[in-house]
Amino acid sequence: VEYAPLATMQAQWLREVWEIDFRPRLEEILTRDPSPHRTRRIKRRGGAQWLIGCGAWRAMFAVEGRAVRVTALEPGYPRRFLDDPECGAMPDK
């Protein structure tokens, strides 16, 4: 599993600013089997991109031969929920 520059920067920001690091779990799942599967929460995002849910976060990735390249990270919740002060019970908000 390798990370594109954008995903590296996003992961570093999450770790430094919010103390959130889901990369170990992400890497464990993608190293084992990056193919689509309901229990691994992997589905096609479009074209050659795939999306995996990992806790409260999502990662976009592409499979290139035997390499898995994480291209970007994003929250698993819509922006309107993250901006709403009434939705305080979300993990990693």
Short mmCIF file of all heavy atoms in Angstrom, two decimals, residues 47-83:
data_model
loop_
_atom_site.label_atom_id
_atom_site.label_comp_id
_atom_site.label_asym_id
_atom_site.label_seq_id
_atom_site.Cartn_x
_atom_site.Cartn_y
_atom_site.Cartn_z
N GLY A 47 -14.67 4.63 -12.72
CA GLY A 47 -13.44 4.37 -13.47
C GLY A 47 -12.61 3.32 -12.75
O GLY A 47 -13.09 2.27 -12.37
N ALA A 48 -11.34 3.64 -12.55
CA ALA A 48 -10.43 2.71 -11.87
C ALA A 48 -10.30 3.02 -10.39
O ALA A 48 -9.44 2.49 -9.71
CB ALA A 48 -9.05 2.78 -12.53
N GLN A 49 -11.15 3.91 -9.87
CA GLN A 49 -11.09 4.29 -8.46
C GLN A 49 -12.03 3.43 -7.62
O GLN A 49 -13.12 3.07 -8.06
CB GLN A 49 -11.48 5.76 -8.29
CG GLN A 49 -10.43 6.73 -8.77
CD GLN A 49 -9.23 6.76 -7.84
OE1 GLN A 49 -9.37 6.91 -6.62
NE2 GLN A 49 -8.05 6.61 -8.40
N TRP A 50 -11.58 3.15 -6.42
CA TRP A 50 -12.35 2.38 -5.46
C TRP A 50 -12.47 3.20 -4.19
O TRP A 50 -11.66 4.09 -3.93
CB TRP A 50 -11.67 1.05 -5.16
CG TRP A 50 -11.57 0.20 -6.37
CD1 TRP A 50 -10.56 0.17 -7.28
CD2 TRP A 50 -12.54 -0.72 -6.83
NE1 TRP A 50 -10.83 -0.72 -8.28
CE2 TRP A 50 -12.06 -1.29 -8.03
CE3 TRP A 50 -13.78 -1.14 -6.35
CZ2 TRP A 50 -12.75 -2.24 -8.73
CZ3 TRP A 50 -14.47 -2.09 -7.06
CH2 TRP A 50 -13.96 -2.63 -8.23
N LEU A 51 -13.48 2.89 -3.38
CA LEU A 51 -13.73 3.58 -2.12
C LEU A 51 -13.81 2.53 -1.02
O LEU A 51 -14.48 1.51 -1.19
CB LEU A 51 -15.05 4.36 -2.21
CG LEU A 51 -15.52 5.04 -0.94
CD1 LEU A 51 -14.64 6.25 -0.65
CD2 LEU A 51 -16.97 5.46 -1.08
N ILE A 52 -13.13 2.80 0.07
CA ILE A 52 -13.22 1.91 1.23
C ILE A 52 -13.61 2.75 2.45
O ILE A 52 -13.07 3.82 2.67
CB ILE A 52 -11.90 1.16 1.50
CG1 ILE A 52 -12.04 0.23 2.71
CG2 ILE A 52 -10.74 2.12 1.66
CD1 ILE A 52 -10.86 -0.71 2.92
N GLY A 53 -14.58 2.23 3.19
CA GLY A 53 -14.96 2.85 4.45
C GLY A 53 -14.11 2.25 5.56
O GLY A 53 -13.94 1.04 5.64
N CYS A 54 -13.57 3.11 6.39
CA CYS A 54 -12.71 2.65 7.48
C CYS A 54 -13.06 3.49 8.71
O CYS A 54 -12.55 4.60 8.88
CB CYS A 54 -11.25 2.82 7.08
SG CYS A 54 -10.10 1.90 8.11
N GLY A 55 -13.96 2.97 9.53
CA GLY A 55 -14.45 3.75 10.65
C GLY A 55 -15.25 4.93 10.14
O GLY A 55 -16.08 4.80 9.24
N ALA A 56 -14.99 6.12 10.67
CA ALA A 56 -15.71 7.33 10.26
C ALA A 56 -15.08 7.99 9.04
O ALA A 56 -15.44 9.10 8.69
CB ALA A 56 -15.73 8.31 11.43
N TRP A 57 -14.14 7.31 8.39
CA TRP A 57 -13.39 7.90 7.28
C TRP A 57 -13.49 7.05 6.03
O TRP A 57 -13.85 5.87 6.09
CB TRP A 57 -11.93 8.08 7.69
CG TRP A 57 -11.85 9.05 8.81
CD1 TRP A 57 -11.87 8.76 10.16
CD2 TRP A 57 -11.84 10.46 8.71
NE1 TRP A 57 -11.86 9.92 10.88
CE2 TRP A 57 -11.83 10.98 10.02
CE3 TRP A 57 -11.82 11.35 7.64
CZ2 TRP A 57 -11.83 12.34 10.28
CZ3 TRP A 57 -11.80 12.70 7.89
CH2 TRP A 57 -11.80 13.18 9.21
N ARG A 58 -13.17 7.65 4.91
CA ARG A 58 -13.16 6.97 3.63
C ARG A 58 -11.82 7.20 2.96
O ARG A 58 -11.19 8.24 3.16
CB ARG A 58 -14.25 7.53 2.68
CG ARG A 58 -15.64 7.54 3.26
CD ARG A 58 -16.20 6.12 3.41
NE ARG A 58 -17.50 6.14 4.04
CZ ARG A 58 -17.72 5.95 5.33
NH1 ARG A 58 -16.72 5.76 6.15
NH2 ARG A 58 -18.94 5.95 5.83
N ALA A 59 -11.41 6.25 2.15
CA ALA A 59 -10.17 6.39 1.38
C ALA A 59 -10.47 5.97 -0.06
O ALA A 59 -11.12 4.95 -0.28
CB ALA A 59 -9.06 5.53 1.95
N MET A 60 -10.03 6.79 -1.00
CA MET A 60 -10.12 6.43 -2.40
C MET A 60 -8.79 5.77 -2.76
O MET A 60 -7.73 6.22 -2.32
CB MET A 60 -10.31 7.67 -3.28
CG MET A 60 -11.75 8.12 -3.41
SD MET A 60 -12.53 8.57 -1.87
CE MET A 60 -11.61 10.00 -1.42
N PHE A 61 -8.87 4.73 -3.58
CA PHE A 61 -7.65 4.04 -3.97
C PHE A 61 -7.79 3.44 -5.35
O PHE A 61 -8.88 3.32 -5.89
CB PHE A 61 -7.27 2.97 -2.93
CG PHE A 61 -8.20 1.79 -2.87
CD1 PHE A 61 -7.93 0.63 -3.59
CD2 PHE A 61 -9.34 1.82 -2.07
CE1 PHE A 61 -8.77 -0.47 -3.51
CE2 PHE A 61 -10.19 0.74 -2.00
CZ PHE A 61 -9.91 -0.42 -2.72
N ALA A 62 -6.66 3.08 -5.91
CA ALA A 62 -6.60 2.41 -7.20
C ALA A 62 -5.67 1.21 -7.05
O ALA A 62 -4.73 1.24 -6.26
CB ALA A 62 -6.06 3.35 -8.28
N VAL A 63 -5.97 0.17 -7.78
CA VAL A 63 -5.12 -1.02 -7.78
C VAL A 63 -4.36 -1.03 -9.09
O VAL A 63 -4.97 -0.98 -10.17
CB VAL A 63 -5.96 -2.31 -7.61
CG1 VAL A 63 -5.07 -3.53 -7.65
CG2 VAL A 63 -6.77 -2.26 -6.33
N GLU A 64 -3.05 -1.07 -8.99
CA GLU A 64 -2.17 -1.06 -10.16
C GLU A 64 -1.26 -2.27 -10.06
O GLU A 64 -0.24 -2.23 -9.37
CB GLU A 64 -1.38 0.24 -10.21
CG GLU A 64 -2.27 1.48 -10.25
CD GLU A 64 -1.55 2.76 -9.86
OE1 GLU A 64 -0.35 2.70 -9.47
OE2 GLU A 64 -2.19 3.82 -9.92
N GLY A 65 -1.66 -3.36 -10.72
CA GLY A 65 -0.90 -4.60 -10.58
C GLY A 65 -1.08 -5.14 -9.17
O GLY A 65 -2.19 -5.36 -8.71
N ARG A 66 0.03 -5.30 -8.47
CA ARG A 66 -0.03 -5.76 -7.08
C ARG A 66 0.03 -4.61 -6.09
O ARG A 66 -0.02 -4.82 -4.89
CB ARG A 66 1.10 -6.75 -6.81
CG ARG A 66 0.93 -8.04 -7.60
CD ARG A 66 1.94 -9.12 -7.24
NE ARG A 66 2.18 -9.33 -5.85
CZ ARG A 66 1.44 -10.10 -5.03
NH1 ARG A 66 0.39 -10.71 -5.49
NH2 ARG A 66 1.78 -10.25 -3.77
N ALA A 67 0.14 -3.38 -6.60
CA ALA A 67 0.23 -2.20 -5.72
C ALA A 67 -1.15 -1.57 -5.54
O ALA A 67 -1.95 -1.50 -6.47
CB ALA A 67 1.18 -1.17 -6.33
N VAL A 68 -1.40 -1.14 -4.33
CA VAL A 68 -2.61 -0.39 -4.01
C VAL A 68 -2.16 1.03 -3.69
O VAL A 68 -1.32 1.23 -2.81
CB VAL A 68 -3.36 -1.01 -2.80
CG1 VAL A 68 -4.56 -0.16 -2.43
CG2 VAL A 68 -3.79 -2.43 -3.11
N ARG A 69 -2.72 2.00 -4.42
CA ARG A 69 -2.32 3.40 -4.24
C ARG A 69 -3.51 4.18 -3.69
O ARG A 69 -4.52 4.37 -4.37
CB ARG A 69 -1.86 3.99 -5.56
CG ARG A 69 -1.37 5.41 -5.45
CD ARG A 69 -0.74 5.82 -6.78
NE ARG A 69 -0.31 7.19 -6.78
CZ ARG A 69 0.85 7.63 -6.31
NH1 ARG A 69 1.70 6.78 -5.77
NH2 ARG A 69 1.16 8.90 -6.39
N VAL A 70 -3.38 4.64 -2.44
CA VAL A 70 -4.40 5.47 -1.82
C VAL A 70 -4.23 6.87 -2.38
O VAL A 70 -3.16 7.47 -2.29
CB VAL A 70 -4.26 5.46 -0.28
CG1 VAL A 70 -5.29 6.39 0.36
CG2 VAL A 70 -4.40 4.04 0.27
N THR A 71 -5.30 7.40 -3.00
CA THR A 71 -5.20 8.68 -3.68
C THR A 71 -5.73 9.85 -2.86
O THR A 71 -5.27 10.98 -3.03
CB THR A 71 -5.94 8.64 -5.03
OG1 THR A 71 -7.30 8.25 -4.80
CG2 THR A 71 -5.26 7.64 -5.97
N ALA A 72 -6.71 9.62 -1.98
CA ALA A 72 -7.27 10.71 -1.17
C ALA A 72 -8.04 10.14 0.00
O ALA A 72 -8.50 8.99 -0.03
CB ALA A 72 -8.18 11.58 -2.03
N LEU A 73 -8.21 10.96 1.03
CA LEU A 73 -8.99 10.62 2.21
C LEU A 73 -10.13 11.62 2.33
O LEU A 73 -9.99 12.77 1.92
CB LEU A 73 -8.11 10.68 3.47
CG LEU A 73 -6.81 9.89 3.43
CD1 LEU A 73 -6.03 10.12 4.72
CD2 LEU A 73 -7.07 8.42 3.20
N GLU A 74 -11.23 11.18 2.91
CA GLU A 74 -12.35 12.10 3.13
C GLU A 74 -13.19 11.60 4.30
O GLU A 74 -13.14 10.42 4.65
CB GLU A 74 -13.21 12.22 1.87
CG GLU A 74 -13.92 10.96 1.47
CD GLU A 74 -14.73 11.12 0.18
OE1 GLU A 74 -14.32 11.88 -0.71
OE2 GLU A 74 -15.77 10.45 0.06
N PRO A 75 -13.96 12.51 4.90
CA PRO A 75 -14.84 12.07 6.00
C PRO A 75 -15.96 11.20 5.45
O PRO A 75 -16.36 11.33 4.29
CB PRO A 75 -15.38 13.38 6.58
CG PRO A 75 -15.24 14.38 5.49
CD PRO A 75 -14.06 13.93 4.66
N GLY A 76 -16.46 10.33 6.29
CA GLY A 76 -17.54 9.45 5.89
C GLY A 76 -18.91 10.08 6.06
O GLY A 76 -19.91 9.49 5.70
N TYR A 77 -18.96 11.29 6.62
CA TYR A 77 -20.23 11.98 6.85
C TYR A 77 -20.36 13.17 5.91
O TYR A 77 -19.38 13.84 5.63
CB TYR A 77 -20.31 12.48 8.30
CG TYR A 77 -20.23 11.38 9.31
CD1 TYR A 77 -19.06 11.15 10.01
CD2 TYR A 77 -21.33 10.56 9.55
CE1 TYR A 77 -18.99 10.13 10.94
CE2 TYR A 77 -21.26 9.54 10.48
CZ TYR A 77 -20.09 9.33 11.17
OH TYR A 77 -20.02 8.32 12.08
N PRO A 78 -21.58 13.45 5.45
CA PRO A 78 -21.79 14.64 4.62
C PRO A 78 -21.43 15.91 5.39
O PRO A 78 -21.58 15.98 6.61
CB PRO A 78 -23.29 14.61 4.31
CG PRO A 78 -23.72 13.20 4.55
CD PRO A 78 -22.81 12.68 5.62
N ARG A 79 -20.97 16.91 4.67
CA ARG A 79 -20.55 18.18 5.27
C ARG A 79 -21.64 18.81 6.14
O ARG A 79 -21.35 19.38 7.19
CB ARG A 79 -20.13 19.14 4.14
CG ARG A 79 -19.70 20.49 4.59
CD ARG A 79 -18.28 20.43 5.03
NE ARG A 79 -17.87 21.68 5.62
CZ ARG A 79 -16.66 22.14 5.53
NH1 ARG A 79 -15.75 21.47 4.87
NH2 ARG A 79 -16.34 23.26 6.11
N ARG A 80 -22.90 18.70 5.71
CA ARG A 80 -23.98 19.33 6.48
C ARG A 80 -24.09 18.74 7.88
O ARG A 80 -24.45 19.43 8.82
CB ARG A 80 -25.30 19.24 5.73
CG ARG A 80 -25.87 17.86 5.60
CD ARG A 80 -27.19 17.86 4.80
NE ARG A 80 -27.79 16.56 4.79
CZ ARG A 80 -27.47 15.57 3.94
NH1 ARG A 80 -26.53 15.78 3.04
NH2 ARG A 80 -28.06 14.42 3.99
N PHE A 81 -23.76 17.46 8.05
CA PHE A 81 -23.78 16.87 9.38
C PHE A 81 -22.57 17.31 10.21
O PHE A 81 -22.67 17.52 11.40
CB PHE A 81 -23.81 15.34 9.30
CG PHE A 81 -25.08 14.79 8.73
CD1 PHE A 81 -25.05 13.72 7.87
CD2 PHE A 81 -26.31 15.34 9.03
CE1 PHE A 81 -26.21 13.21 7.32
CE2 PHE A 81 -27.49 14.84 8.50
CZ PHE A 81 -27.43 13.76 7.64
N LEU A 82 -21.44 17.44 9.56
CA LEU A 82 -20.22 17.84 10.26
C LEU A 82 -20.30 19.29 10.74
O LEU A 82 -19.74 19.63 11.77
CB LEU A 82 -19.00 17.64 9.36
CG LEU A 82 -18.71 16.20 8.97
CD1 LEU A 82 -17.59 16.15 7.94
CD2 LEU A 82 -18.36 15.36 10.18
N ASP A 83 -20.99 20.13 9.98
CA ASP A 83 -21.14 21.55 10.35
C ASP A 83 -22.27 21.79 11.33
O ASP A 83 -22.38 22.88 11.88
CB ASP A 83 -21.38 22.39 9.09
CG ASP A 83 -20.15 22.48 8.21
OD1 ASP A 83 -19.03 22.25 8.73
OD2 ASP A 83 -20.30 22.77 7.01
#
